[in-house]
Amino acid sequence: MPLADIEPVNRESTAGIIARQLRDAIMNGSLPPGTQLGETELAARFEVSRGPLREAMQRLVSEGLLRSERHRGLFVIDLEPDDVYDIYTARSAIERAAAIRVMHGDREQAATLLDETVQAMAAAADEDDPTALSEADLRFHEALIEASGSRRLVRMARTLLIETRMCLSLLQRTYQHVDERVVEHNRIIEAIREGDQETVLTLLEAHMEDAVQRLAPGTPLRQ
């Protein structure tokens, strides 16, 4: 087919809209791990037939966010210790590679972008808004990877976004003082500004290790 004959797609399909809303609900914890999704209830809530609903849920099954149990239905995945380990191992590898590229690029520009996300974290902490805090936390790590200028690292990280957000929803309950998270991220920024690559990498690894220990005690990041 000639490219000239391809028409732009301007409207998101019903199944796509449903999948996006369910994905967001899983990310922000509105649909916690282990939740069973009932077709009848969801079809009524979305005011749609079961056809597009089933298509949307199958998308999330293929993405690994829902699991199917025979004769029982569909459930939001549970994050087992091995899952947490895998997520943070993958993130550690991606963010380490991104940080090295950042340290050989415009460190000040990267640090300025990261500052903005930490300011948002601090504001959320002051307002006692754990959801906004987790969003800003995630944005910090996205900004770090984007600052690397590597499209491949950005694509790789994107596949971990939803599972990471699920982890952060659980992680926020483990901090007695939410400003601990702000301090951790500020230390990384300081090391970037100082050009101390070894410290940046050490802090990132410690940050990931701490998250794993909070979510899956006894599961070391390094094995």
Side-chain angles (χ1 to χ4, degrees):
M1 176 188 295
L3 289 178
D5 294 338
I6 296 178
E7 297 181 359
V9 177
N10 297 318
R11 297 176 60 185
E12 188 176 10
S13 69
T14 300
I17 293 171
I18 296 171
R20 174 168 49 79
Q21 292 194 34
L22 289 175
R23 196 181 292 115
D24 289 345
I26 292 171
M27 285 177 64
N28 63 32
S30 297
L31 288 174
T35 300
Q36 183 173 14
L37 301 187
E39 278 190 13
T40 302
E41 178 187 354
L42 286 175
R45 178 167 298 188
F46 284 114
E47 298 183 352
V48 297
S49 65
R50 295 195 181 191
L53 176 63
R54 286 174 179 169
E55 180 183 341
M57 292 197 292
Q58 283 307 310
R59 290 189 189 187
L60 299 190
V61 170
S62 66
E63 292 175 11
L65 297 177
L66 297 180
R67 72 176 191 275
S68 177
E69 294 188 11
R70 192 174 182 182
H71 303 310
R72 293 195 64 204
L74 296 175
F75 297 79
V76 178
I77 61 166
D78 292 293
L79 291 176
E80 303 294 339
D82 283 348
D83 298 316
V84 172
Y85 173 82
D86 286 347
I87 292 166
Y88 280 90
T89 297
R91 282 189 58 196
S92 184
I94 291 170
E95 294 191 33
R96 178 185 176 85
I100 291 172
R101 289 180 65 108
V102 166
M103 297 305 289
H104 289 85
D106 190 336
R107 299 196 314 273
E108 184 56 39
Q109 181 181 18
T112 298
L113 291 173
L114 294 172
D115 270 336
E116 294 175 2
T117 66
V118 174
Q119 289 170 13
M121 289 178 66
D126 288 342
E127 295 171 8
D128 194 23
D129 186 341
T131 299
L133 180 59
S134 289
E135 293 291 350
D137 187 331
L138 189 59
R139 180 58 193 148
F140 175 95
H141 295 278
E142 288 179 314
L144 175 65
I145 296 166
E146 289 168 3
S148 73
S150 170
R151 289 176 294 180
R152 287 180 178 82
L153 289 176
V154 170
R155 285 200 301 269
M156 291 166 67
R158 194 170 292 142
T159 64
L160 293 167
L161 172 64
I162 298 173
E163 290 176 313
T164 297
R165 184 63 183 82
M166 291 173 69
C167 287
L168 290 175
S169 293
L170 299 172
L171 191 63
Q172 66 191 20
R173 305 170 191 168
T174 69
Y175 285 89
Q176 292 184 340
H177 305 288
V178 292
D179 56 354
E180 291 177 55
R181 293 165 71 177
V182 176
V183 171
E184 289 178 8
H185 291 78
N186 269 327
R187 287 175 180 159
I188 295 172
I189 296 174
E190 290 170 9
I192 290 174
R193 281 205 162 95
E194 292 170 1
D196 188 343
Q197 178 173 303
E198 182 178 353
T199 298
V200 170
L201 298 180
T202 298
L203 288 171
L204 277 174
E205 184 175 352
H207 185 63
M208 300 295 178
E209 176 69 41
D210 179 68
V212 170
Q213 290 306 310
R214 288 174 182 274
L215 294 171
T219 306
L221 194 57
R222 293 188 215 173
Q223 290 190 350

